[in-house]
Amino acid sequence: MRADATTIELNRCGKTFADGTRALEPLDLTVAAGETVVLLGPSGCGKTTLLRLIAGLEAPDAGGRVRFNGEDVTGLPIERRAVGMVFQSYALFPNMSVRENIAYGLRVRKLDKGEIAARTREMLEMMQIGQLAERRVHQLSGGQRQRVALARAIAVRPRVLLLDEPLAALDAVLRDRLRVEIDALLRRLAITAVYVTHDQAEAMMLGDRIVVMSAGQVEQAGTPREIYRNPATPFVADFVGTVSRIATAAGVVLLRPEDIRLCEVAAGRAAATVETLHFLGGRCQVGLIGGDGARLIADAPPDTPLKPGARVGIAWDDAAPLRLPLMEAAQ
Amino acid sequence: MGRTTVRLIQYALTLLVGLFMVVPVVMSILAGVTQNFFVGLKSGLTLHWVGEVWRLYSETIALSMLIAICCVALTLAIGVPCAYVLAKRPGRIARAVEEVLTLPVAIPGLALALALIITWGGFRDFRTSWAFILVGHVLYTLPFMTRSVLSVLAASEMRDLEEGAASLGAGFWTRLVTVVLPNAKGGILAGALMVLTLSVGEFNLTWMLHTPETKTLPVGLADSYASMRLEIASAYTLVFFVMIVPLLVAMQAMSRTRRRAAHPEEEPLPCAPTPQPSN
Ligand SMILES: Nc1ncnc2c1ncn2[C@@H]1O[C@H](COP(=O)(O)OP(=O)(O)O)[C@@H](O)[C@H]1O
Ligand SMILES: [Mg+2]
């Protein structure tokens, strides 16, 4: 962790837009210095709004407070918060070359010429875009734009880095590659970062902690492991990974695909019929229909002999089922 | 009837309509450069009439240019900030102003002129100066400028760009000068060109507002049609064409490049000779 990394603290921050849209219920959130927190949730749940509150692009409703390292920045506009931001649309300046885009924040800060040139060159090298330096934005591919946007945001050495679905516009292969690069970058910079995505795989990979949101509220905040293994609500269980609900004599059991063992009908705790089989390389994804008509998803070895229509038994370890606090309360 | 016959009829019709519109233009231009139009082309071609127009009407041409340039300057000074504020303000008042901006287009120039005369006609010095016409032109063209600039400023990309600049530490004026205005250049230029063209060609308003001392080109044109020999009037028209057609062509060209800029994906990426980074 970098000594000068910044803690972000949100206190009772809600957002109601002028047209009456309640985008965010008042919420508390703390991002520790140097930590990467991922805001995860479906489209329209308020992730961007929350990020813009941290950035200073929106003001929270009355009563809300934003603090950086304890200092109240609620009243400061974005240009005085020293944040780096990567926009979903990248927001690169079309009237400037790649080099000028990266140097922009340094020029605005009136650093001296030599320092600007040196730091811009450093960024170009770090993001491996040196050969694009003199290009215009419209001459770049999506992945290249992404790199320039990142370079531009970190060139000014911001206190916190805010990223709004930076990979959403890219194709799958590129997304996977850049995800790894961004992860390495965030660790290397040891900067406090808030990363918005609706992609749970991305969230799991990048987040020290994940904040799962739904309809303007925080459903759960925790490490990827906690969120996956101990979801606090049915929404989290479904949104982060896949769950199958199996009715047993003792009640409904929630299982991740990898925790379901397919076996002889007689050996199973429940039974189901194989409906679909999808070969995914390292494993086979099996779609089943349970006794009560519920659809289940289970993992099987890649060379499974199962065929659609087969009757199978379903087994699981006692420790496997997810335990939702709400469900336990209900039982 | 076969397909080819239909085709032929279509071509013939198009040609006919085209001729119907082009022939008078050609005739009128020819009339301006023939010695004696009633004798016909065999009387010989001459620039004599164009020279006469210059002698008689050069002041109207100069005044038209002066008013047009001042009009562009004023509509830029008023219209661009106006558009910026409208683009920034959400809410009902801003939308209402946008609606009002389209009104002068629907109000006949004559009515606008009458309103000006009723309101300000009492100020004699003002009433008899060319500034009076200028005010009319500014009122008439301001909505065109504002809407042209507003269309680029209100685009969501522009909001993103400005927020991007702000996130990098740029305050209002820095953002305005380094990011907003340069990227709104297309809309601003298009607006300026349109205002220039409208001002140079404006007749309705100007005819009401002018005095014998403050005649613009189109007013002079009407004057020459009424009182001069046909050759002079035609030569004058020719001069008007020479001034206005390049403006119209430039306007067309601009709107074409802007449309292309709005859909850059249709443009092939320039092939890079350098190796691409692996991404
Ligand atoms: N400027 C705005 N005015 C009114 N409503 C808005 C505005 N921005 C976002 N919203 C609404 O707020 C909600 C949350 O939006 P957003 O934060 O963009 O969601 P997400 O980023 O998770 O997709 C949505 O219902 C959206 O329509
Ligand atoms: Mg969003």
Side-chain angles (χ1 to χ4, degrees):
Chain A
M1 194 188 300
R2 212 166 62 170
D4 60 347
T6 302
T7 312
I8 305 170
E9 222 181 311
L10 299 188
N11 233 298
R12 309 296 304 149
C13 279
K15 181 69 193 178
T16 311
F17 283 106
D19 64 357
T21 309
R22 185 75 176 247
L24 223 50
E25 301 295 332
L27 55 80
D28 295 330
L29 176 71
T30 304
V31 184
E35 187 185 33
T36 300
V37 162
V38 175
L39 306 180
L40 173 68
S43 174
C45 72
K47 308 180 294 293
T48 297
T49 306
L50 182 52
L51 196 73
R52 289 169 64 87
L53 283 180
I54 299 172
L57 288 167
E58 307 282 359
D61 293 343
R65 285 274 159 263
V66 182
R67 289 188 184 81
F68 286 0
N69 271 352
E71 172 202 350
D72 191 336
V73 295
T74 316
L76 289 185
I78 184 168
E79 61 262 32
R80 296 181 42 211
R81 285 198 191 181
V83 297
M85 186 140 179
V86 175
F87 293 79
Q88 195 164 3
S89 65
Y90 308 145
L92 298 175
F93 309 130
N95 58 321
M96 299 179 198
S97 67
V98 166
R99 186 191 300 281
E100 289 165 335
N101 263 279
I102 297 173
Y104 186 86
L106 306 171
R107 268 177 35 220
V108 165
R109 282 169 175 68
K110 302 209 162 47
L111 300 187
D112 72 62
K113 283 232 164 61
E115 166 108 37
I116 294 178
R119 266 165 75 172
T120 306
R121 205 173 324 117
E122 183 194 337
M123 283 301 132
L124 285 167
E125 265 165 41
M126 184 166 153
M127 299 308 298
Q128 301 162 31
I129 44 177
Q131 65 279 55
L132 304 174
E134 307 314 324
R135 293 241 195 126
R136 292 272 151 177
V137 173
H138 67 90
Q139 297 170 314
L140 303 178
S141 70
Q144 292 168 339
R145 280 173 209 216
Q146 180 51 63
R147 284 161 196 270
V148 178
L150 264 168
R152 185 180 76 171
I154 59 180
V156 296
R157 304 194 179 146
R159 301 175 77 175
V160 302
L161 187 59
L162 308 172
L163 306 102
D164 193 355
E165 311 220 10
L167 305 180
L170 306 177
D171 62 65
V173 176
L174 199 51
R175 200 157 56 217
D176 285 350
R177 181 172 302 166
L178 273 169
R179 191 159 65 192
V180 175
E181 282 187 32
I182 290 179
D183 185 48
L185 182 74
L186 292 178
R187 293 198 191 284
R188 182 163 144 204
L189 296 174
I191 191 172
T192 310
V194 181
Y195 187 107
V196 165
T197 182
H198 64 261
D199 178 336
Q200 58 111 354
E202 210 168 294
M204 297 276 221
M205 182 151 184
L206 290 170
D208 294 321
R209 275 195 310 140
I210 297 177
V211 174
V212 184
M213 296 176 64
S214 155
Q217 282 175 307
V218 172
E219 291 273 327
Q220 186 177 7
T223 64
R225 222 172 271 277
E226 284 166 4
I227 299 241
Y228 189 76
R229 284 312 325 172
N230 302 307
T233 65
F235 176 86
V236 175
D238 280 309
F239 196 78
V240 182
T242 307
V243 270
S244 300
R245 290 174 164 75
I246 299 167
T248 66
V252 179
V253 174
L254 270 59
L255 289 167
R256 295 293 187 195
E258 62 274 20
D259 292 329
I260 296 180
R261 276 200 319 273
L262 302 179
C263 55
E264 298 295 326
V265 177
R269 294 186 180 195
T273 307
V274 176
E275 191 184 30
T276 57
L277 278 159
H278 289 112
F279 177 67
L280 299 177
R283 64 196 161 92
C284 233
Q285 190 183 69
V286 188
L288 308 118
I289 296 190
D292 55 351
R295 282 174 197 282
L296 319 173
I297 303 267
D299 284 351
D303 55 356
T304 179
L306 290 173
K307 294 271 177 300
R311 286 289 288 171
V312 290
I314 292 177
W316 59 87
D317 292 344
D318 288 330
L322 304 179
R323 280 171 232 288
L324 297 182
L326 285 179
M327 285 183 59
E328 278 176 6
Q331 274 168 14
Chain B
M1 251 192 315
R3 281 172 83 113
T4 33
T5 339
V6 175
R7 271 277 164 73
L8 278 177
I9 291 174
Q10 278 177 350
Y11 279 137
L13 214 65
T14 312
L15 196 68
L16 221 65
V17 173
L19 281 178
F20 185 74
M21 295 192 293
V22 170
V23 166
V25 175
V26 174
M27 292 299 282
S28 144
I29 288 172
L30 272 180
V33 292
T34 28
Q35 287 282 6
N36 185 330
F37 188 66
F38 296 101
V39 178
L41 272 182
K42 59 179 172 298
S43 66
L45 293 176
T46 177
L47 284 178
H48 171 73
W49 303 120
V50 176
E52 275 298 286
V53 166
W54 194 252
R55 194 175 62 76
L56 289 167
Y57 291 109
S58 62
E59 270 180 19
T60 69
I61 297 168
L63 185 63
S64 266
M65 290 316 292
L66 178 68
I67 289 178
I69 287 165
C70 292
C71 187
V72 169
L74 282 175
T75 49
L76 278 174
I78 305 169
V80 175
C82 214
Y84 185 83
V85 171
L86 285 177
K88 270 298 161 71
R89 295 267 141 172
R92 229 165 295 156
I93 298 172
R95 299 294 79 78
V97 173
E98 262 184 72
E99 290 299 319
V100 170
L101 271 179
T102 61
L103 274 184
V105 183
I107 296 175
L110 288 174
L112 195 58
L114 198 65
L116 275 175
I117 291 171
I118 291 171
T119 318
W120 307 109
F123 301 81
R124 271 201 63 82
D125 289 342
F126 178 43
R127 170 71 185 90
T128 52
S129 75
W130 59 269
F132 200 53
I133 298 177
L134 178 60
V135 169
H137 280 206
V138 169
L139 282 181
Y140 170 60
T141 55
L142 189 58
F144 292 94
M145 174 65 87
T146 310
R147 272 181 299 144
S148 175
V149 179
L150 185 59
S151 72
V152 283
L153 289 186
S156 66
E157 303 90 68
M158 191 60 85
R159 191 191 79 163
D160 286 355
L161 289 183
E162 197 178 351
E163 290 184 350
S167 78
L168 293 162
F172 172 80
W173 291 106
T174 312
R175 296 200 295 263
L176 190 71
V177 173
T178 58
V179 172
V180 177
L181 291 180
N183 289 302
K185 210 170 59 188
I188 295 174
L189 271 177
L193 211 51
M194 186 180 298
V195 168
L196 194 68
T197 313
L198 285 172
S199 173
V200 168
E202 211 299 317
F203 175 73
N204 287 340
L205 253 175
T206 321
W207 185 74
M208 286 282 281
L209 299 179
H210 87 279
T211 67
E213 298 303 311
T214 56
K215 265 188 224 164
T216 63
L217 203 164
V219 174
L221 258 184
D223 188 83
S224 74
Y225 291 161
S227 58
M228 292 287 156
R229 50 183 299 171
L230 183 63
E231 288 85 349
I232 293 196
S234 299
Y236 202 3
T237 314
L238 180 61
V239 171
F240 183 62
F241 269 167
V242 168
M243 286 175 63
I244 206 95
V245 167
L247 288 178
L248 291 173
V249 170
M251 230 160 77
Q252 276 297 317
M254 278 220 47
S255 75
R256 210 172 309 132
T257 49
R258 280 178 71 204
R259 219 171 308 134
R260 212 171 308 141
H263 305 279
E265 65 277 13
E266 287 163 22
E267 235 170 6
L269 283 176
C271 293
T274 46
Q276 301 284 309
S278 51
N279 66 5

